[in-house]
Amino acid sequence: MNKEQIEKREVKKQQLKDKLAVDQQCSFLATWWIEIANSIKETKIEWSLEYLEVVNQNQYDFWMGILKQEPWIGFSFPDTVIHKGDRYWVHELFYSNYPSSLPLRYLPKLEKWLTNSSDNVATLKEIVSKLNLSNQPIYLFFIRMSPVIKMDLFDLALIASDDILPDHEDLAIMAIDGSWLIFKSLEQEWVFGQI
């Protein structure tokens, strides 16, 4: 086998690795996150994605193909929801502004909201009121998943449901500039605060 054949084989091998990585991420998002996106879409409120995924150059074309297939095609997401690079800047802003108070799991060092309610919607509305927040664009995301939803705070409060604020994932609602955060942990702990 000559040098050119070896290089072609290595390129094909890398392409296969990139395609498998994209397929795996798409499958994960399609089986869990897409339900949340569908719930938001059904409300007819205005929302967008800051990013669905951040990928390297080699994975970008695979993602462009995926967005034209079910279940993604029904959203008509623009190509811009897939960003080239390696920076999940919303997640990075989140972690840098709100470090964890615990060594083994993430919980921001913020004021705890004590509630007897298991109603996530009611708790969210109580915290928004307590912080005296005005309507403004916010990021809604799950800390172990790439998609970051952008919408208005009062729209989120209006459409919030257990489908959109599920119990089985850490959830962050953050100001666009990172100046305040409402966080719900998997363990149903709510914390909030401003920097």
Side-chain angles (χ1 to χ4, degrees):
M1 192 177 289
N2 64 34
K3 184 179 177 184
E4 185 178 321
Q5 289 172 320
I6 292 171
E7 287 175 1
K8 282 184 179 177
R9 193 171 90 185
E10 289 303 311
V11 167
K12 284 192 180 280
K13 194 189 291 186
Q14 185 59 49
Q15 286 174 334
L16 180 59
K17 284 171 91 174
D18 289 330
K19 182 177 182 339
L20 289 173
V22 169
D23 288 347
Q24 182 179 8
Q25 180 66 355
C26 288
S27 177
F28 169 71
L29 293 175
T31 57
W32 196 84
W33 182 84
I34 201 88
E35 293 175 22
I36 293 162
N38 275 323
S39 294
I40 294 171
K41 180 182 173 188
E42 288 170 6
T43 68
K44 307 278 193 240
I45 66 150
E46 190 172 320
W47 66 288
S48 63
L49 284 178
E50 185 66 20
Y51 50 78
L52 177 63
E53 186 60 91
V54 178
V55 301
N56 66 45
Q57 177 66 45
N58 299 334
Q59 295 175 345
Y60 184 79
D61 289 338
F62 293 119
W63 270 101
M64 292 303 97
I66 292 287
L67 290 179
K68 293 172 178 64
Q69 300 172 19
E70 288 295 335
W72 307 102
I73 196 165
F75 288 94
S76 301
F77 287 135
D79 294 353
T80 56
V81 300
I82 305 298
H83 291 264
K84 294 178 195 172
D86 60 359
R87 293 194 60 238
Y88 294 82
W89 63 91
V90 174
H91 290 79
E92 290 174 11
L93 176 65
F94 166 73
Y95 285 117
S96 68
N97 284 0
Y98 303 100
S100 183
S101 62
L102 302 174
L104 299 178
R105 69 178 175 88
Y106 181 79
L107 186 68
K109 296 178 184 176
L110 296 171
E111 184 177 341
K112 289 188 178 177
W113 182 258
L114 301 176
T115 181
N116 294 328
S117 174
S118 61
D119 183 349
N120 292 336
V121 177
T123 303
L124 172 64
K125 289 177 180 178
E126 289 170 6
I127 295 171
V128 167
S129 177
K130 164 82 174 172
L131 288 172
N132 198 27
L133 296 173
S134 60
N135 193 27
Q136 59 191 285
I138 54 100
Y139 291 132
L140 169 68
F141 58 99
F142 303 92
I143 68 170
R144 286 180 284 273
M145 281 187 268
S146 55
V148 175
I149 296 167
K150 187 176 179 182
M151 67 172 55
D152 284 342
L153 177 62
F154 288 1
D155 283 344
L156 175 60
L158 181 68
I159 66 161
S161 67
D162 289 339
D163 292 336
I164 296 168
L165 307 176
D167 285 335
H168 51 279
E169 188 57 60
D170 290 337
L171 170 79
I173 301 162
M174 186 173 72
I176 298 293
D177 63 1
S179 61
W180 59 263
L181 174 74
I182 299 171
F183 178 82
K184 180 188 71 65
S185 76
L186 182 64
E187 293 76 16
Q188 298 307 302
E189 298 160 297
W190 287 83
V191 296
F192 64 95
Q194 299 171 314
I195 57 170

